[in-house]
Amino acid sequence: MFTIKAPAKVNWFLEVKGKRPDGYHELETVMQAVSLFDEISVEDRADGELILTCNIDLGAPEKNLVYRAAELMRQHHAPGRGAQIALNKQIPHGAGLGGGSSDAANALIALNRLWDLHLHKNVLQDIVARVGSDCAFFVEGGTAVCTGRGEIVEQLPDIGVFHLVLLYPNDVCPTPQVYGELSRDLTYSPRNCYLFLPAKMDAPQLASGVFNRLQESALKVSAKLRAAWESTAHEPGVLVRFVSGSGSSVAFLLNDEAAAQQLEDSLTARSLGRAYAVKTLPGGAVWG
Ligand code: C5P
């Protein structure tokens, strides 16, 4: 049996470059893995069944990204193999933190080992990108520029340790609705993320490059997100705050761990939602 930890992500930068003929949006985004984790355990099943269990109600397993990615991997690379997959979810759903996508990618990393397949990372990325646009990033994690629908991943060097707080305002932002809101007005001049990615940055430099084109749309879609946003305009020690991806989470960048812990405590005490002090992660799987 293997256990792997599936990290959440934030987007330091997200620009929507336009609408594509297939209905998706062309993206340029800088994704960052952070230390809030779901946990996935995989165990071999001699009977060839693929069974997914979870600590929360998942609905039909066939619709779950983990199940769909595992089934694709089995069909193409491991016919007849079975697995028991146990998912322990801590990352809020519909939060712009990539939980479901990270679960799918990390389940494939675990199954690759369990079934002794030795598939290259690029193959895992190709499989998992078929179940969701931002899944491929989580095969390596760390920091990466993602383009296309989000599935074209260019790994960046490790940026070092930065401290953040994530605030989930107890509401989901449906991704299609957030993109739909933005699509009403695609007349801006797109920004370019490379302008803010020197090899080594300190926290204020990083803060000055943060941008999310979906932020205003997400704030329109969720009233609870807007309320949380408006209540946190002047938090002590915060270098920048931003909505992560299509929301509904707000991320706060701070100078150090003590400041992050203080903010987590303060947000929790004020019942603004679920708050998590986290740090940035380098690339590579986190085995549990
Ligand atoms: O690929 P995924 O299923 O994660 O995307 C969910 C939804 O988000 C899509 O159906 C689409 O409405 C929107 N989306 C988009 N452009 C992207 C990624 C997602 O419009 N690049």
Side-chain angles (χ1 to χ4, degrees), residues 60 63 166 198 206:
K63 291 199 175 145
L166 311 177
L206 181 55

Side-chain angles (χ1 to χ4, degrees), residues 23-25 27 131-134 148-150 175-176 179:
Y24 282 84
H25 292 79
L27 292 186
V131 305
S133 299
D134 64 354
R149 283 187 295 122
T175 307
Y179 276 101

